[in-house]
C-alpha cells in the first residue's frame, strides 16, 4: 500500500498551508485547507483498509504524455509572463500550488478507488493552470476554489461516454468547472466574490500579451492540429467586431476587437484535443461555433446584466457535447460537397498542420 503515501504526503503539505499568513487570517481558507487535508487522509485510510481486506494491490505508475508537458509549458510560460508584471498573480501563486496538490490527490484517489491503478503524470498541471487563468474565489469564498477542483475530477471520472470503443470524458475538465461556476455566479449575481473581472483586466498589463499567447499556443497547434479550431474562431469574432465597429463606431468588446482574455480562451481553453472533434472539418465547425458562441454570450450577458468576462467560458461544455455530431456533420458536408471538401475532411497529417499554423 505504499502508493497511498502520496496522498498522505499531499495532505501533510496542505496542512502546512495552515501556517501561511493569508490562510491563517482568512477563516474560509483555513477551514478549506483543513477539510481538504482531513478528507484526503480519511479517503486514503478507507482505501487502505478496504484494499487490505480484499487483498487487491494498489498500483502507482508514472507516464509523461506529450499533450500534458506541452500544455504545462505553454500555460506555465503565460502565467510567468503575467505574474512578472502583475503583483496579484504572484500573491496568488501559493494558492495555485495548493490547488495542484489537491488535484493530484483527487486524481490518484479516484483512480485507485475505481480501478486500483493510478497513472500519474503532468496532467493536473495544465488543468489547474487553465482554471486559474480565468477565475479565482478569494476571501470568505475561497472554499469554492477547492470545490471547482473537486468538480474537475469528479466530472472527468464520472461524466463519460464511449467513442471509438473507448471510454472518454465528455467535457474539457477545467472548462466544465469554469462553466458551472460561471452559471452559478450569473444566476446569483455574485460575481464580486471572485476576481474574475480583475483577472481579465490585469491581462492587459503585461506588454505583448497577444504575442505571448499566440506563441505559447503554436507548439500544440503544430502537434495536434488545433489551429483548425483557433483560426476559424478568431476570424469569426474579428469579422463580427469589424462589422460592428464599422456600423456603430465603437468596439463590440468596448476596448478591442478581441480582448486578451477572449484571445486566451481562443488559444488555451477550448482547444483541448481530447474533447473536441477528431476530423479537420469537424474542428473548423467547432471553431466557428465557439466564436459565434462567444459573441452570443456577450448579448445574453448584457441582457441579464452580467459581466461580459464570462463570454469565453459559457460555450465550451456545450460544444464538447456536440463534438461527435460535428464530426458527422463535417463528413456529411464533405460527402455532399465537391471533391476538395472530401480531401480536406480526410486530414492531411503533419504537412497540413504546418501549413495551417503557417497561414495562421
Amino acid at each position: 500500500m505504499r502508493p497511498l503515501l502520496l496522498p498522505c504526503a499531499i495532505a501533510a503539505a496542505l496542512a502546512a498551508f495552515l501556517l501561511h499568513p493569508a490562510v491563517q487570517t482568512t477563516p474560509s481558507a483555513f477551514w478549506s485547507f483543513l477539510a481538504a487535508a482531513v478528507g484526503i487522509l480519511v479517503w486514503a485510510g478507507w482505501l487502505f483498509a478496504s484494499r487490505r481486506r480484499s487483498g487487491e494491490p494498489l498500483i502507482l505508475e508514472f507516464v509523461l504524455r506529450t499533450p500534458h508537458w506541452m500544455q504545462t509549458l505553454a500555460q506555465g510560460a503565460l502565467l510567468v509572463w503575467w505574474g512578472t508584471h502583475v503583483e496579484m498573480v504572484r500573491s496568488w501563486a501559493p494558492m495555485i500550488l495548493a490547488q495542484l496538490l489537491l488535484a493530484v490527490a483527487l486524481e490518484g484517489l479516484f483512480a485507485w478507488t475505481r480501478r486500483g491503478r493510478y497513472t500519474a503524470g503532468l496532467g493536473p498541471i495544465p488543468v489547474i493552470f487553465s482554471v486559474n487563468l480565468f477565475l479565482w474565489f478569494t476571501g470568505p469564498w475561497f472554499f469554492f476554489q477547492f470545490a471547482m477542483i473537486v468538480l474537475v475530477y469528479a466530472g472527468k471520472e464520472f461524466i463519460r461516454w464511449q467513442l471509438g470503443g473507448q471510454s472518454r470524458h465528455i467535457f474539457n475538465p477545467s472548462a466544465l468547472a469554469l462553466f458551472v461556476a460561471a452559471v452559478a455566479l450569473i444566476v446569483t449575481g455574485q460575481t464580486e466574490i471572485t476576481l474574475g473581472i480583475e483577472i481579465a483586466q490585469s491581462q492587459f498589463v503585461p506588454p505583448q500579451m497577444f504575442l505571448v499567447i499566440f506563441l505559447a499556443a503554436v507548439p500544440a497547434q503544430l502537434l495536434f492540429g488545433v489551429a483548425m479550431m483557433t483560426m476559424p474562431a478568431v476570424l469569426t469574432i474579428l469579422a463580427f467586431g469589424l462589422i460592428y465597429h464599422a456600423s456603430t463606431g465603437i468596439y463590440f468588446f468596448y476596448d478591442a476587437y478581441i480582448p486578451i482574455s477572449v484571445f486566451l480562451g481562443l488559444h488555451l481553453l477550448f482547444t483541448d484535443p481530447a474533447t473536441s472533434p477528431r476530423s479537420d472539418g469537424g474542428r473548423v465547425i467547432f471553431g466557428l461555433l465557439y466564436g459565434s458562441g462567444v459573441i452570443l454570450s456577450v448579448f445574453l450577458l448584457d441582457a441579464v446584466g452580467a459581466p461580459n468576462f464570462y463570454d469565453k467560458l459559457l460555450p465550451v461544455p456545450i460544444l464538447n457535447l456536440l463534438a461527435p455530431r460535428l464530426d458527422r456533420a463535417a463528413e456529411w458536408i464533405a460527402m455532399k460537397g465537391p471533391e476538395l471538401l472530401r480531401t480536406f475532411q480526410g486530414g492531411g497529417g503533419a504537412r497540413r498542420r504546418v501549413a495551417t499554423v503557417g497561414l495562421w
Side-chain angles (χ1 to χ4, degrees):
M1 298 300 173
R2 287 183 180 178
L4 290 177
L5 292 175
L6 176 61
C8 291
I10 289 174
L14 289 173
F17 272 87
L18 298 175
L19 303 176
H20 192 284
V23 175
Q24 287 186 328
T25 57
T26 308
S28 172
F30 183 90
W31 289 108
S32 297
F33 275 92
L34 183 60
V38 172
I40 290 169
L41 287 175
V42 170
W43 192 347
W46 170 82
L47 193 55
F48 174 82
S50 62
R51 291 287 172 161
R52 190 175 185 181
R53 284 195 304 270
S54 66
E56 299 177 29
L58 294 177
I59 299 171
L60 172 63
E61 57 188 5
F62 295 90
V63 175
L64 189 62
R65 294 190 170 96
T66 300
H68 295 159
W69 67 257
M70 187 168 288
Q71 291 170 332
T72 295
L73 289 177
Q75 296 177 355
L78 186 58
L79 279 167
V80 168
W81 184 251
W82 182 26
T84 300
H85 296 88
V86 178
E87 194 278 332
M88 77 171 188
V89 180
R90 298 193 295 274
S91 299
W92 185 250
M95 300 302 106
I96 296 177
L97 175 60
Q99 293 168 69
L100 179 58
L101 291 170
L102 177 61
V104 173
L106 288 171
E107 186 179 57
L109 289 169
F110 270 125
W112 283 318
T113 300
R114 290 171 58 82
R115 294 175 293 280
R117 178 187 295 270
Y118 174 37
T119 303
L122 298 181
I125 300 178
V127 171
I128 299 306
F129 282 179
S130 181
V131 169
N132 284 272
L133 283 169
F134 297 99
L135 195 62
W136 307 344
F137 287 90
T138 61
W141 307 99
F142 176 81
F143 63 91
F144 282 127
Q145 195 74 26
F146 276 3
M148 281 201 298
I149 309 309
V150 174
L151 179 58
V152 163
Y153 287 96
K156 186 177 180 181
E157 193 68 36
F158 295 107
I159 307 177
R160 307 179 71 86
W161 54 17
Q162 291 290 326
L163 282 179
Q166 293 183 325
S167 175
R168 298 179 180 271
H169 55 277
I170 298 175
F171 298 109
N172 177 325
S174 58
L176 175 63
L178 289 167
F179 173 85
V180 172
V183 171
L185 291 166
I186 293 167
V187 170
T188 59
Q190 295 295 316
T191 298
E192 67 273 9
I193 71 174
T194 76
L195 292 180
I197 295 175
E198 291 82 354
I199 289 171
Q201 292 173 341
S202 72
Q203 288 167 350
F204 281 94
V205 174
Q208 304 297 333
M209 194 63 164
F210 282 107
L211 180 60
V212 172
I213 294 170
F214 177 86
L215 293 177
V218 166
Q221 292 175 350
L222 287 170
L223 193 61
F224 305 115
V226 295
M228 284 289 187
M229 296 183 279
T230 296
M231 185 162 55
V234 172
L235 293 178
T236 298
I237 296 174
L238 179 60
F240 180 85
L242 289 168
I243 294 170
Y244 187 88
H245 188 273
S247 302
T248 65
I250 60 174
Y251 290 116
F252 179 66
F253 290 101
Y254 303 117
D255 52 9
Y257 289 116
I258 302 178
I260 287 176
S261 62
V262 173
F263 197 71
L264 178 59
L266 290 163
H267 286 77
L268 295 175
L269 178 63
F270 94 109
T271 52
D272 175 22
T275 54
S276 56
R278 298 291 189 266
S279 66
D280 285 346
R283 289 181 170 187
V284 170
I285 299 173
F286 193 79
L288 292 171
L289 290 177
Y290 180 72
S292 302
V294 170
I295 295 167
L296 177 60
S297 295
V298 173
F299 284 112
L300 294 176
L301 291 166
D302 283 342
V304 300
N308 286 348
F309 88 92
Y310 295 115
D311 50 10
K312 65 272 185 184
L313 307 180
L314 298 179
V316 183
I318 299 170
L319 292 176
N320 292 154
L321 280 171
L322 295 175
R325 293 176 175 83
L326 297 182
D327 275 328
R328 292 195 291 270
E331 183 177 356
W332 183 85
I333 293 171
M335 292 301 295
K336 297 295 182 180
E339 179 67 27
L340 179 62
L341 286 180
R342 287 192 287 277
T343 303
F344 178 80
Q345 174 68 4
R351 286 190 297 177
R352 175 175 293 174
R353 293 196 296 270
V354 171
T356 304
V357 173
L359 177 63
W360 175 219

